Amino acid sequence: MKIEFYRSKQNLMLLVSFIMMAMVGVGCSHQESDVQLVEESDVQLVESSLLEQVYYLQEADSIQPSWLQREIVENPYLIVYRNNDEQNYLLEFPEKALFKLYKNGTFQNVKSEDLDKIIVSANFWTCTHIYSFPLYPGYEEWNFNKYSVNQIKEKLLLPNHLLKTMRTADLLEVCLDYPYMLDFAAYDDLQKGFDYLCAEFNGYNELLQRQDLNQAMLKKQAVYWRKTEKIKSLSDIEKGKYNFQCTLFKMILAQDKTLDSFNVSQLRQMIDLSFININLEKAKPEIFGTFNKISTLYLCTRIIQRQGGFYFESDEERQLFELFASTCTCNPKVLAVFTEELQQRMSSFLLNI
């Protein structure tokens, strides 16, 4: 059953605040694991008051031509495409609906209808700079008296040329920043909610098709939970957003296409990172709420279900476990099966994969 909301910015804020107050102890029992993390020097955390989101920029990509660095500073919503073969650049100014091609040291304006002639193949062009949605709650255009919810969501869809050229790591950031990401939490079964989200926003299906999804997910998983010290000092609304982004990240991890992308070694690393992050979550109960804990259980059950060979003490325990592993239901009667003892068995099983 879907719960209708998002009629106003106030409703959205109230929903986040309510869920943040509804925290319960559903978290998995676990133990520390050794894991090789991505070093801090491997990524550069880029933050700016001019931008709507935080994202990780590969260090190699931060070495841009001086003219491009100036363009990025002067145009906070600039999207940059680089041709890897010819070192040409295509600049997109979303707020101006303008494109400029930098070729052989000169700029030329490009009409949107001519983009296909320039971006002949997604294999040659790569989006290399941050993308911000054209609308966010609080913007003048985010007006429910002027536009319907569906009209606003239509404006948030990624254009095809960007969808196909954006790097996987950046596409992941965009999906986690989607203004209507809370839609998936409006369902009794979170998997059904995530399926709805995939039908609603084209970024998710594209993300799940990427060949290097496993690498992007592992790098993000290794660094994203380190933000908890900074997040705990922010408002309840910001804590709520971060909590839901972590929940959504785990829902993406739990999908068949994501899990299929991991080899055995990467799966082991993902599990180890999950246990480390669970420890960080347990230390910050003021940040992480019910949905985040449920999504952790869901990821664990999905991995165990795919591996097979897990011991169940009764048919009822097996049936409820499998029901949850296929739906991520929030039904209290189903969640009750995950006793401390069952969670201990799950942890031991996962640590021995």
Side-chain angles (χ1 to χ4, degrees):
M1 177 182 69
K2 184 181 179 184
I3 305 170
E4 293 295 334
F5 63 102
Y6 271 120
R7 295 305 175 196
S8 67
K9 181 182 178 184
Q10 289 76 14
N11 286 347
L12 172 60
M13 300 306 185
L14 286 172
L15 175 68
V16 175
S17 299
F18 173 77
I19 293 173
M20 285 303 299
M21 291 187 293
M23 298 177 181
V24 298
V26 190
C28 291
S29 298
H30 55 277
Q31 61 190 60
E32 286 283 3
S33 300
D34 294 326
V35 62
Q36 183 178 1
L37 296 176
V38 177
E39 296 296 332
E40 290 286 358
S41 59
D42 291 340
V43 293
Q44 176 187 356
L45 181 60
V46 180
E47 292 187 88
S48 170
S49 59
L50 298 176
L51 300 177
E52 293 292 342
Q53 62 180 351
V54 174
Y55 80 120
Y56 291 91
L57 182 67
Q58 300 295 330
E59 194 170 275
D61 293 329
S62 65
I63 306 173
Q64 305 280 16
S66 57
W67 65 265
L68 181 55
Q69 293 180 26
R70 289 194 297 270
E71 289 286 347
I72 291 173
V73 171
E74 294 172 4
N75 300 279
Y77 299 108
L78 178 68
I79 304 171
V80 182
Y81 306 85
R82 183 179 63 213
N83 186 294
N84 298 323
D85 290 344
E86 301 178 7
Q87 291 301 307
N88 296 330
Y89 291 85
L90 180 67
L91 308 185
E92 180 176 357
F93 304 81
E95 74 278 16
K96 304 175 185 177
L98 175 67
F99 293 86
K100 287 186 177 181
L101 177 65
Y102 181 85
K103 186 175 183 179
N104 299 325
T106 61
F107 277 112
Q108 64 183 74
N109 291 334
V110 177
K111 297 179 180 179
S112 57
E113 56 265 28
D114 294 331
L115 281 178
D116 288 341
K117 298 177 183 178
I118 296 175
I119 305 180
V120 178
S121 170
N123 295 327
F124 299 126
W125 287 90
T126 307
C127 177
T128 64
H129 194 59
I130 193 170
Y131 171 81
S132 292
F133 286 100
L135 295 176
Y136 285 91
Y139 280 28
E140 183 178 350
E141 297 88 345
W142 194 283
N143 188 334
F144 292 103
N145 295 322
K146 186 176 181 180
Y147 300 108
S148 68
V149 173
N150 288 336
Q151 286 176 317
I152 292 178
K153 289 180 179 179
E154 185 72 23
K155 294 176 182 292
L156 297 176
L157 293 175
L158 293 174
N160 190 62
H161 68 272
L162 179 59
L163 192 67
K164 298 302 181 182
T165 57
M166 186 178 289
R167 296 179 310 179
T168 303
D170 292 332
L171 181 59
L172 173 60
E173 297 295 338
V174 169
C175 288
L176 293 176
D177 192 50
Y178 178 56
Y180 275 99
M181 66 174 176
L182 278 176
D183 276 4
F184 83 95
Y187 288 80
D188 293 333
D189 297 347
L190 294 187
Q191 181 58 51
K192 185 181 293 184
F194 183 78
D195 291 341
Y196 173 82
L197 206 59
C198 290
E200 175 179 272
F201 177 59
N202 56 356
Y204 295 105
N205 283 325
E206 173 65 25
L207 179 67
L208 293 172
Q209 301 296 330
R210 294 297 182 90
Q211 295 298 313
D212 59 341
L213 177 60
N214 48 8
Q215 301 172 34
M217 296 296 285
L218 283 174
K219 180 163 287 190
K220 181 69 171 176
Q221 190 182 17
V223 296
Y224 198 50
W225 272 256
R226 298 184 192 181
K227 293 174 60 178
T228 54
E229 283 300 319
K230 175 184 175 182
I231 296 295
K232 72 177 184 180
S233 65
L234 300 181
S235 67
D236 286 344
I237 297 301
E238 290 300 322
K239 290 176 184 176
K241 179 180 179 181
Y242 177 68
N243 174 44
F244 272 103
Q245 286 176 327
C246 292
T247 300
L248 180 56
F249 180 86
K250 292 175 189 175
M251 292 300 296
I252 296 173
L253 263 182
Q255 301 308 300
D256 282 331
K257 289 182 178 178
T258 308
L259 294 175
D260 286 342
S261 71
F262 291 113
N263 59 34
V264 175
S265 175
Q266 291 168 335
L267 179 64
R268 176 70 266 166
Q269 184 180 3
M270 185 265 281
I271 292 171
D272 288 341
L273 284 169
S274 295
F275 279 118
I276 289 174
N277 292 338
I278 290 170
N279 275 334
L280 292 174
E281 292 173 4
K282 288 190 70 175
K284 300 292 186 299
E286 71 276 18
I287 297 176
F288 297 98
T290 303
F291 284 133
N292 193 275
K293 296 178 175 68
I294 291 175
S295 64
T296 298
L297 277 178
Y298 186 54
L299 176 60
C300 293
T301 58
R302 295 280 290 140
I303 297 172
I304 291 172
Q305 186 184 53
R306 290 166 61 89
Q307 290 292 311
F310 183 75
Y311 168 74
F312 293 97
E313 292 191 337
S314 67
D315 288 340
E316 181 183 17
E317 184 180 75
R318 178 193 298 274
Q319 291 169 2
L320 293 175
F321 181 98
E322 292 180 347
L323 174 61
F324 179 78
S326 63
T327 62
C328 194
T329 179
C330 299
N331 188 320
K333 293 182 179 179
V334 177
L335 290 174
V337 75
F338 294 99
T339 61
E340 186 74 14
E341 191 275 334
L342 174 56
Q343 292 182 44
Q344 289 285 2
R345 278 187 280 134
M346 290 170 59
S347 296
S348 297
F349 183 89
L350 289 168
L351 291 170
N352 285 286
I353 289 178

